[in-house]
Amino acid sequence: MTIRLSDHFNYRRLLRFVFPSIIMMVFTSIYGVVDGLFVSNIVGKTAFAAINLIMPVNMIFGGIGFMLGTGGSALVAKTLGEKRQEKANRYFTMMVWVTILVGIVISIVGIAIMRPVSIFLGADEAMLSDCVIYGRIMMAFNAAFMLQNVFQGFLITAEKPSLGLAVTVAAGVTNMVLDALFIGVLKWGVAGAAIATGLSECVGGIIPLIYFLRPNNSILRLVKTKLELRPVGKACVNGSSEMVSSVTSSVVGIIYNFQLLRYAGQDGVASYGVLMYVQFGLAAIFIGYSMGIAPVIGYHYGAGNHGELKNLLKKSSLLMIGLGAFMVVTAQVFALPLAHIFVGYDAALLGMTVHALRISTIAFLITGFNIFASSFFTALNNGGISAAISFLRTFIFKFAAVLLLPLLLHLDGIWWADVLAEIFAFLISVIFLVTQRKKYHYF
């Protein structure tokens, strides 16, 4: 049975609709983790620390794709809800071509500045070469990475979440197979990891492009259109929360690495790399849910269905909190085996990583609610509030916590920073939801 954006959603229908998006994001996180697994266990912890040191830079540049994808899909979903199909197709087309052009420009700039950026981030002589090689190769594929991010949102809006899942699985399998070949067999090191990831991003970005260029049975088409700055600007503003989240998370990741180099050296950076992989794997479930439900929220907002907005907010909030509690328990139980997969070859590093995981994952009790709250306002086309939640959550609160808590708790202060930041973000999210209830009528 086909589920439409216009449907009424009970728990079963809701979970069925968002399930492909959740699996899509989980799979994306898994094949990202595969790079780390192969590099850490085959190339070594210095190379593993190097790719984690430079990774935030790649995410900053790639964040523009998240912005155009989430902001653009929310705008298109709202336009569909207003029954303006032709305009929705034009908006969709503009977002895709702008993504390609901007991605190419960013690739050129990123490749040019990668070496000085690596030095600025604190790469020592042992790590510098790996940082530059990995970063430049990743930048070469940036346009494909941005397209992949854009189409993740638009395939859901086009009522084709299963196709989005299939493309992501294909990209993931490509990455895993090529990692095994390039790193395990051919011994190409960090270059092999970057090439494998880049080629998988081509699969994730180009297949949907071909799908929409050809006649298809979705509700979206790529059509002839001219560039209109107003809808592109509106999409950028509306999707700014995702851009803010990507950029600020990456900047804060750089600050974390600075602090870890100070308090724990190279081992601290490697340990934080494991933390990032596990956290992204868990957060991917929340992100996938929020991506999956956002076009539905946008559609019903455009159609003026206030009762369905109330229904979606209530059910989603309960699901996020319940799932978060389950994740906390699971992370506490499986911290040791998870850490062992990455750094089991080093007893001291393993102990540090297990301790860090058991502290930092407590935050997941409320992380899902915070992610959904920001996405909820993006879907309502209120990019300002969505960006405010993301900026405070991923930058201000974490930045302050990671700088101040180590003064009191030393290394443990870095591991507790995420927990404290999510608590403050939860309070801010609740305040915004309460104060905006009369405007959007979801209470």
Side-chain angles (χ1 to χ4, degrees):
M1 180 180 67
T2 301
I3 301 176
R4 303 294 182 188
L5 297 179
S6 56
D7 289 348
H8 168 71
F9 284 78
N10 53 28
Y11 279 110
R12 182 179 180 183
R13 188 183 297 269
L14 181 60
L15 291 173
R16 281 186 59 198
F17 188 78
V18 302
F19 182 74
S21 303
I22 293 174
I23 299 302
M24 180 171 62
M25 285 306 302
V26 169
F27 211 84
T28 299
S29 72
I30 290 173
Y31 79 72
V33 168
V34 170
D35 277 0
L37 281 172
F38 275 96
V39 171
S40 181
N41 287 283
I42 296 177
V43 188
K45 69 179 182 181
T46 299
F48 183 54
I51 67 172
N52 286 305
L53 191 68
I54 203 64
M55 184 67 72
V57 177
N58 297 317
M59 294 305 297
I60 288 173
F61 286 118
I64 296 174
F66 286 109
M67 176 180 68
L68 290 168
T70 54
S73 61
L75 176 62
V76 170
K78 177 177 177 290
T79 307
L80 289 170
E82 296 167 345
K83 309 300 181 185
R84 295 188 289 174
Q85 179 72 49
E86 187 273 336
K87 181 173 283 190
N89 283 328
R90 287 195 291 109
Y91 287 170
F92 166 56
T93 303
M94 278 186 276
M95 302 307 159
V96 172
W97 296 127
V98 167
T99 299
I100 294 172
L101 292 174
V102 173
I104 292 171
V105 173
I106 290 176
S107 291
I108 296 170
V109 174
I111 290 170
I113 67 173
M114 194 56 63
R115 184 177 181 84
V117 166
S118 299
I119 295 171
F120 172 77
L121 294 178
D124 57 23
E125 189 173 339
M127 291 191 290
L128 182 58
S129 177
D130 285 338
C131 284
V132 174
I133 291 171
Y134 187 83
R136 283 179 172 168
I137 294 173
M138 291 291 286
M139 277 294 101
F141 292 98
N142 185 67
F145 178 46
M146 288 175 57
L147 268 183
Q148 183 179 25
N149 295 335
V150 163
F151 282 126
Q152 283 178 345
F154 277 120
L155 282 168
I156 300 167
T157 305
E159 297 180 343
K160 294 293 180 181
S162 296
L163 176 59
L165 172 60
V167 170
T168 302
V169 170
V173 171
T174 299
N175 188 61
M176 293 176 195
V177 172
L178 292 181
D179 266 335
L181 175 63
F182 295 161
I183 304 174
V185 178
L186 300 179
K187 307 298 182 183
W188 287 358
V190 295
I195 294 170
T197 299
L199 291 175
S200 72
E201 289 166 353
C202 289
V203 172
I206 294 175
I207 289 178
L209 179 63
I210 294 172
Y211 173 80
F212 284 113
L213 281 171
R214 296 169 58 84
N216 63 80
N217 62 353
S218 78
I219 61 174
L220 290 179
R221 304 282 191 280
L222 286 172
V223 298
K224 291 183 179 180
T225 186
K226 61 181 181 179
L227 178 64
E228 298 177 47
L229 294 180
R230 178 173 292 182
V232 173
K234 187 173 182 179
C236 290
V237 171
N238 191 39
S240 60
S241 62
E242 279 64 31
M243 176 66 177
V244 165
S245 179
S246 179
V247 171
T248 55
S249 294
S250 299
V251 172
V252 168
I254 292 169
I255 303 301
Y256 269 70
N257 284 330
F258 276 136
Q259 289 286 74
L260 286 163
L261 285 170
R262 177 184 177 187
Y263 284 92
Q266 190 181 105
D267 279 5
V269 176
S271 185
Y272 182 58
V274 178
L275 222 66
M276 284 196 300
Y277 288 132
V278 173
Q279 288 178 344
F280 185 49
L282 295 176
I285 298 174
F286 297 134
I287 296 169
Y289 179 91
S290 298
M291 283 179 57
I293 199 62
V296 180
I297 294 169
Y299 183 95
H300 287 287
Y301 170 58
N305 297 333
H306 300 144
E308 191 61 21
L309 286 180
K310 179 179 179 180
N311 172 57
L312 293 168
L313 175 60
K314 179 182 177 181
K315 286 182 168 59
S316 297
S317 298
L318 291 174
L319 285 170
M320 293 298 94
I321 296 296
L323 187 57
F326 175 76
M327 284 184 181
V328 172
V329 174
T330 302
Q332 298 300 311
V333 173
F334 292 100
L336 178 58
L338 283 171
H340 196 274
I341 293 173
F342 290 92
V343 293
Y345 53 82
D346 188 314
L349 182 56
L350 177 64
M352 178 191 296
T353 305
V354 170
H355 180 67
L357 280 171
R358 286 181 171 154
I359 293 174
S360 64
T361 51
I362 295 172
F364 277 85
L365 179 62
I366 50 179
T367 296
F369 179 85
N370 295 335
I371 291 172
F372 170 75
S374 176
S375 178
F376 183 70
F377 283 106
T378 296
L380 295 176
N381 284 255
N382 192 327
I385 290 179
S386 180
I389 294 173
S390 288
F391 184 70
L392 290 169
R393 172 179 168 261
T394 60
F395 186 69
I396 297 298
F397 296 148
K398 286 189 179 182
F399 184 85
V402 79
L403 287 181
L404 297 177
L405 284 182
L407 299 177
L408 300 174
L409 303 174
H410 303 288
L411 182 59
D412 273 0
I414 300 176
W415 310 137
W416 279 104
D418 279 355
V419 180
L420 185 62
E422 294 291 355
I423 291 172
F424 281 109
F426 178 81
L427 296 175
I428 290 296
S429 298
V430 170
I431 289 171
F432 275 125
L433 285 168
V434 171
T435 57
Q436 296 296 307
R437 67 190 186 281
K438 292 183 179 179
K439 179 178 179 180
Y440 296 106
H441 309 286
Y442 46 66
F443 281 177

